Amino acid sequence: MEPSEYSARLSAIVLSSEDAILSKNLDGIITSWNPSSEIIFGFTAAEAIGKHISLIIPEELLGEEDTIISGIKRGERIHHFETIRKRKDGSCFPVAITVSPIRDDAEQITGASTIARDITEQNASDRTAAMLAAIVNSSDDAIVSKNLDGIIKSWNKGAETIFGFTAEEAIERSIFIIIPEYKLEEELDILRKIRAGERISHFETVRKRKDGREINISVTISPIKDRSGKIIGASKIARDITEKAELEQQRKLYLKRLQDLNNYKDQFMVIVSHELKTPLTVIKGNLELLEYDMQEDEQKLVLVKRAMTHVDKLTNLIVDLLDVSKIQSGRLELKMTTFDLTEFLTEIINSIQQTSASHTIAFNHSKEKLTICADVERLEQVVINLLTNAIKYSPDAKLVTVNADVRQNQVIITVKDEGIGIAPEDMDKIFTRFFRVQGLSSNFPGSGVGLYISSEIVKQHGGDIWAESELNKGSTFYFTIPVIEPA
Ligand code: ADP
C-alpha cells in the first residue's frame, strides 16, 4: 500500500470511530480532535484544537495528567486506564483511555494520541450486575442455573447450605446430583417444559442433599434466554420447606385426632343421653303414680311435685343434648308439612300463657292466614325457646310481644321482651353452642344450647335468625321462614 493511501485509511478510521480520538503535544496542547470527540466532550474541533488538555480534565485530576505525560516522554503506553473527564457543560463522566506516544520521522516523541471511550452505560450495567450478584449471593434460597442439558452453571451460597455441595463441587456437574432416583423422570419433564419456554412456579418436590438426606423444597424454575431470545438454560430458586412440610403433617395428625375425639364425644353423648332417658322415664312414671296416691297428703305431694319438676328439666336437657349431637353429625332431619302460621302461633302462645301468669303475651299478625311449609315440631321448639327465654330473662317486666309479618316471600316472626337485655359484645355469641352470657343472666337456669338449636333449625328451613338488644331495656329476636304462595 502506498504511504499516502495508508494514511488516508487511518484518517478515515479516526473520523468514523465511535471513540473520541485526539492528540496533544508534550506541552499538553490539543493538536487534533475527531468528530466523536465533539460528541463525547461537547467542544467542536475549532473550540478544542490549540487549547490545553485541561479543558476536558477535572481540576482535581490534573496531577494524573502530569504523570501520563511523563510516562509518554519515556515512550510508555497507557492501556485502558479508567478515569473521569469533563464535558463542555461542566458535567463529569467515566472514561476508559488508552494513551500512546506519537513519534516524528526521527523517532522523537513529539506528543501523545488518546483514545477515550465513554463508559457511563457500561459502568451502570456493571453496577447492576454486581448488585444482582450480591442479591443472589446473600439469598437464603438456593439460586442455581443450569443449561438445557441439565449441567449446573452457577450455584450460590444458599444452594451450598441447602444441598450441602460447595460451588466447586456442583458447577459443571449434572443437576441429577441433587435429584433422588425416583424423581429423575420429573426433572426430565421440567427440562422439557423449560425448552418449551414454560415457567414453573412454587412447585413442591423432594431433593437430595450431599449427605443423602432428602429435603422438601418449593421451587420456581424460569427459562434463561440469550440476547436473541433463544432459551439457553434455566434458573432455579429453591426454598427448603422440610420444616413447613413436617408442621403440615403434624397439623393434619392433630386435626385427625381432634376429629376422632369429636366423634367419640358425639357417640358418647348419644349413648349417655339414651341411657339416661330410659331410667328417667321410669322415674317419671313412678312419680306420677305416687302423685296420684298422695293427693291427701299435702306435704308429701309437694315433695313429689318438686321431684317431677327436676325430672322434667333433666329430660329437656337430655333432649337438647341429643339435638345438638344430631346437628353436629348432620342428622337433624325435617318433616315438612304445610300449615297455617297464625293458628300455630296462637296455640303455642295460649299454652305458654297458661303456665306463665307473671307475663302477658301479646300477639299481632298482619294477615289472618299465613301458609308456610315447615317442620311443625321443630318450629314449635324454636318459638317455645324464644318465648321462654323472653319470659325467663325479663323477671321485672310484664309484657312479651309476638309479631308475625310478611316481607318479600318470607314470614318474619318477632319475639320482644322488656327484660335484662344483652351487651353488644355478646350479641354474636348467643347463637353458639353452650354460650351463656356471664353475670346477671347466669342467675337464671339454662344450658346455653336453646338458641344454637333454634338457629340451626331456622337455617335448615332456609330462613334467618338474629337479635337486637339493649342492656336493661329488652331484647327482640327475629326469625324468617319462606312463605308458600297460594296455588
Ligand atoms: P339458655 O338455656 O342459657 O337460656 P339459650 O341458648 O337459649 O340458652 O340462650 C343463650 C344465652 O343468651 C342465654 O344464656 C342468655 O344469656 C342470652 N339470652 C337469650 N335470650 C335472651 C333474652 N331474651 N334476653 C336476654 N338474654 C338472653
Side-chain angles (χ1 to χ4, degrees):
M1 202 185 302
E2 289 289 311
S4 62
E5 192 186 334
Y6 179 70
S7 59
R9 282 216 181 163
L10 280 185
S11 128
I13 291 172
V14 170
L15 284 175
S16 63
S17 164
E18 277 192 5
D19 294 333
I21 303 177
L22 54 116
S23 60
K24 59 195 171 195
N25 63 22
L26 291 178
D27 297 326
I29 302 298
I30 298 168
T31 50
S32 76
W33 190 258
N34 78 338
S36 280
S37 298
E38 296 193 350
I39 296 169
I40 292 176
F41 296 109
F43 294 100
T44 62
E47 285 169 332
I49 293 172
K51 298 269 168 51
H52 191 264
I53 193 71
S54 57
L55 187 70
I56 55 164
I57 302 177
E59 228 173 56
E60 60 277 16
L61 293 180
L62 285 175
E64 184 186 285
E65 178 62 14
D66 293 341
T67 319
I68 294 175
I69 293 283
S70 312
I72 289 294
K73 283 179 181 162
R74 290 192 299 275
E76 288 165 13
R77 184 169 183 264
I78 292 147
H79 182 67
H80 197 90
F81 172 66
E82 290 190 8
T83 182
I84 305 288
R85 287 291 174 262
K86 196 173 68 183
R87 294 193 191 90
K88 186 179 176 182
D89 64 9
S91 60
C92 291
F93 62 103
V95 286
I97 58 172
T98 295
V99 192
S100 317
I102 302 175
R103 295 168 204 268
D104 61 12
D105 295 343
E107 285 296 308
Q108 281 293 315
I109 296 168
T110 58
S113 78
T114 303
I115 304 177
R117 173 167 296 180
D118 182 345
I119 54 169
T120 312
E121 260 178 39
Q122 186 191 324
N123 275 6
S125 67
D126 284 354
R127 269 200 304 277
T128 311
M131 197 170 73
L132 289 179
I135 293 172
V136 168
N137 247 334
S138 62
S139 165
D140 281 341
D141 292 338
I143 304 180
V144 171
S145 66
K146 59 186 177 191
N147 67 15
L148 288 179
D149 298 324
I151 301 297
I152 298 167
K153 289 290 172 188
S154 71
W155 190 262
N156 75 338
K157 286 247 163 14
E160 293 192 342
T161 315
I162 291 179
F163 299 116
F165 291 98
T166 63
E168 289 78 50
E169 287 169 333
I171 290 173
E172 291 307 325
R173 286 177 70 188
S174 163
I175 193 75
F176 289 151
I177 58 170
I178 58 161
I179 296 173
E181 230 163 274
Y182 62 94
K183 290 278 180 190
L184 290 182
E185 197 45 50
E186 177 188 286
E187 180 62 19
L188 292 174
D189 194 42
I190 289 174
L191 281 171
R192 267 194 291 277
K193 286 193 172 134
I194 290 298
R195 277 195 203 100
E198 274 178 49
R199 183 171 187 269
I200 298 154
S201 280
H202 303 294
F203 172 63
E204 296 196 356
T205 183
V206 177
R207 289 291 176 259
K208 196 175 63 182
R209 281 174 49 87
K210 185 182 174 186
D211 58 17
R213 190 160 58 86
E214 289 192 354
I215 50 172
N216 296 79
I217 61 160
S218 160
V219 65
T220 294
I221 309 170
S222 327
I224 303 176
K225 296 177 182 172
D226 65 10
R227 277 174 197 276
S228 67
K230 200 175 105 198
I231 295 162
I232 53 166
S235 75
K236 272 189 184 201
I237 303 181
R239 176 163 298 181
D240 186 350
I241 54 161
T242 309
E243 209 174 307
K244 185 183 146 213
E246 278 168 7
L247 281 176
E248 177 63 11
Q249 214 170 1
Q250 227 166 34
R251 195 188 66 86
K252 278 189 186 148
L253 204 76
Y254 284 140
L255 198 70
K256 167 89 180 52
R257 271 196 212 151
L258 209 63
Q259 274 163 349
D260 287 349
L261 276 174
N262 207 29
N263 287 345
Y264 288 142
K265 182 213 70 193
D266 283 347
Q267 281 170 7
F268 174 80
M269 256 167 69
V270 173
I271 293 167
V272 169
S273 312
H274 271 300
E275 293 307 308
L276 285 174
K277 235 174 138 182
T278 319
L280 268 180
T281 318
V282 176
I283 295 169
K284 178 93 193 273
N286 283 298
L287 283 173
E288 275 167 0
L289 289 177
L290 270 178
E291 185 190 24
Y292 182 75
D293 264 7
M294 286 177 183
Q295 292 300 334
E296 309 300 316
D297 191 335
E298 281 273 330
Q299 273 182 335
K300 285 183 183 159
L301 193 61
V302 170
L303 296 179
V304 171
K305 280 198 190 303
R306 196 179 295 158
M308 282 174 76
T309 312
H310 285 280
V311 167
D312 285 343
K313 276 190 183 167
L314 210 49
T315 311
N316 288 340
L317 179 63
I318 289 166
V319 169
D320 278 353
L321 290 179
L322 275 171
D323 279 348
V324 170
S325 67
K326 270 187 200 159
I327 292 167
Q328 291 288 293
S329 56
R331 286 181 294 113
L332 185 84
E333 278 166 20
L334 300 181
K335 290 183 223 102
M336 305 294 270
T337 52
T338 307
F339 56 93
D340 175 46
L341 182 75
T342 316
E343 205 181 307
F344 161 85
L345 286 174
T346 311
E347 270 174 32
I348 300 175
I349 290 168
N350 286 344
S351 113
I352 293 192
Q353 185 67 83
Q354 275 175 20
T355 54
S356 315
S358 56
H359 290 73
T360 302
I361 309 173
F363 179 34
N364 307 314
H365 47 94
S366 55
K367 282 193 177 177
E368 249 342 287
K369 246 182 135 43
L370 274 175
T371 310
I372 60 165
C373 181
D375 181 321
V376 183
E377 275 180 33
R378 289 296 179 189
L379 211 60
E380 188 177 336
Q381 208 176 332
V382 175
V383 178
I384 290 176
N385 180 234
L386 295 183
L387 271 174
T388 48
N389 275 352
I391 293 167
K392 179 164 70 174
Y393 296 109
S394 63
D396 299 330
K398 299 260 167 299
L399 184 67
V400 170
T401 317
V402 178
N403 268 297
D405 274 319
V406 187
R407 268 187 225 162
Q408 293 164 344
N409 292 335
Q410 304 259 318
V411 284
I412 173 161
I413 295 138
T414 316
V415 179
K416 181 174 184 305
D417 66 59
E418 294 164 358
I420 62 170
I422 303 160
E425 65 269 23
D426 291 319
M427 289 300 280
D428 56 340
K429 302 185 202 121
I430 53 173
F431 295 102
T432 57
R433 246 187 324 164
F434 304 118
F435 179 81
R436 304 204 70 217
V437 174
Q438 292 307 302
L440 190 55
S441 65
S442 46
N443 298 335
F444 303 94
S447 58
V449 293
L451 285 181
Y452 168 70
I453 297 171
S454 299
S455 81
E456 290 299 318
I457 293 173
V458 170
K459 279 187 224 156
Q460 274 216 35
H461 276 87
D464 221 345
I465 186 165
W466 69 98
E468 285 167 5
S469 185
E470 203 178 325
L471 266 183
N472 304 321
K473 289 262 166 73
S475 312
T476 309
F477 282 80
Y478 303 82
F479 73 92
T480 58
I481 298 287
V483 196
I484 301 287
E485 288 296 329

